[in-house]
Amino acid sequence: MKEAAAPAKINLALVVGPVRSDGKHEVATVLQRIDLADRLALEPADEIEIYGFPGDTLVRDALETLGVTARVEIEKRIPVGAGLGGGSSDAATALRLANELLPQPVSGGQLHQLAASLGADVPFFLTEEAQLGTGDGSELSPVSVSSDYVVVLVLPDGVDKSSTASVYGAFSGEDGFAERRAAVFAALEAGDIAALPPNDLAASPIADELRELGAFRADVSGAGPAVYGLFGEAERAEAARRALASLGQTWLAKPTR
């Protein structure tokens, strides 16, 4: 049996541009893992069996793509449909663990291609560092960004989230994309996370509250509805988490590899 954590991510930036010829949007996003994580255990089986969270079809798709039959136990800790990448992370982790079961594992490049066929965020979870995602988000390059902060996550109660596809579909991305994309590169070059432009797809008043409570950056992750705030001091982060606990589920997390 093989086991591994499947970490969540936050989008430190998400700039969305026009629709490409393949029907996907051009994006520039900065992805960072955090230590809120699901856990997967995988062992060979005669057929694909998924326990713990059978509704996560991406794990099944990952195994079928690789041609591996296995029994997978998923321990869910990342909230579903929150913009934190739990499904993509589970799929990437299943893909990596299943590849280790093959008599001749596929190469890293091939694994990346298989991951990209499952979803634009999936390849990120095969990497080890913070990444800049361009193209449809699956074209990755490592970036050096500070990890010296504590993350407050808030998943607000009573927020109905549209599907990620419909959120993207409602966004044209035509106006000002080049300028916003350039702002991402400029902030990364300066090493200034706080200067990254805000999320194009979603906004939340909770981000304003997090900034008022001392976050040096706060935004929605992905298509939401989870909101994060970055704090330089653990004590202020915990105080902010407590202050916002009545709004929904809250967590403290840290960036991780």
Side-chain angles (χ1 to χ4, degrees):
M1 177 179 290
K2 294 186 175 293
E3 298 184 43
K9 59 82 180 170
I10 54 174
N11 295 81
L12 294 175
L14 178 55
V15 167
V16 182
V19 178
R20 299 150 35 111
S21 60
D22 60 6
K24 300 177 181 179
H25 282 265
E26 193 78 18
V27 304
T29 184
V30 182
L31 299 155
Q32 173 66 66
R33 280 179 192 74
I34 56 175
D35 61 5
L36 174 65
D38 295 342
R39 188 148 194 97
L40 269 67
L42 184 151
E43 61 183 347
D46 293 332
E47 60 183 5
I48 296 175
E49 302 173 84
I50 299 174
Y51 297 91
F53 187 60
D56 195 341
T57 55
L58 270 179
V59 169
R60 181 176 295 275
D61 291 345
L63 297 178
E64 290 176 348
T65 297
L66 200 57
V68 171
T69 57
R71 183 187 192 277
V72 183
E73 186 77 35
I74 304 174
E75 182 182 348
K76 288 298 292 182
R77 295 176 183 171
I78 304 169
V80 177
L84 298 173
S88 294
S89 185
D90 290 349
T93 302
L95 201 61
R96 180 168 56 81
L97 294 178
N99 191 42
E100 295 173 3
L101 296 177
L102 292 174
Q104 293 183 314
V106 304
S107 69
Q110 289 175 294
L111 207 62
H112 180 104
Q113 290 180 345
L114 292 174
S117 73
L118 298 170
D121 280 352
V122 180
F124 164 68
F125 292 103
L126 297 174
T127 67
E128 296 183 353
E129 302 174 76
Q131 300 282 326
L132 170 67
T134 54
D136 68 351
S138 64
E139 299 171 19
L140 300 170
S141 55
V143 291
S144 177
V145 295
S146 171
S147 58
D148 188 19
Y149 53 82
V150 178
V151 184
V152 175
L153 291 174
V154 182
L155 182 60
D157 290 335
V159 176
D160 294 325
K161 180 199 170 183
S162 302
S163 71
T164 299
S166 65
V167 173
Y168 271 92
F171 188 83
S172 70
E174 296 289 345
D175 298 329
F177 172 65
E179 290 79 5
R180 296 193 306 277
R181 185 178 186 274
V184 171
F185 282 86
L188 291 175
E189 185 175 355
D192 186 359
I193 296 174
L196 288 164
N199 187 328
D200 277 345
L201 289 183
S204 171
I206 295 174
D208 296 329
E209 295 187 55
L210 284 161
R211 283 187 284 269
E212 290 174 3
L213 291 166
F216 65 85
R217 178 167 180 79
D219 210 340
V220 177
S221 183
V227 185
Y228 67 84
L230 309 184
F231 289 79
E233 298 177 1
E235 294 80 4
R236 295 195 75 176
E238 171 58 19
R241 187 200 66 75
R242 290 198 305 269
L244 300 179
S246 63
L247 300 181
Q249 293 177 268
T250 59
W251 298 264
L252 289 183
K254 291 183 180 180
T256 186
R257 289 189 175 186

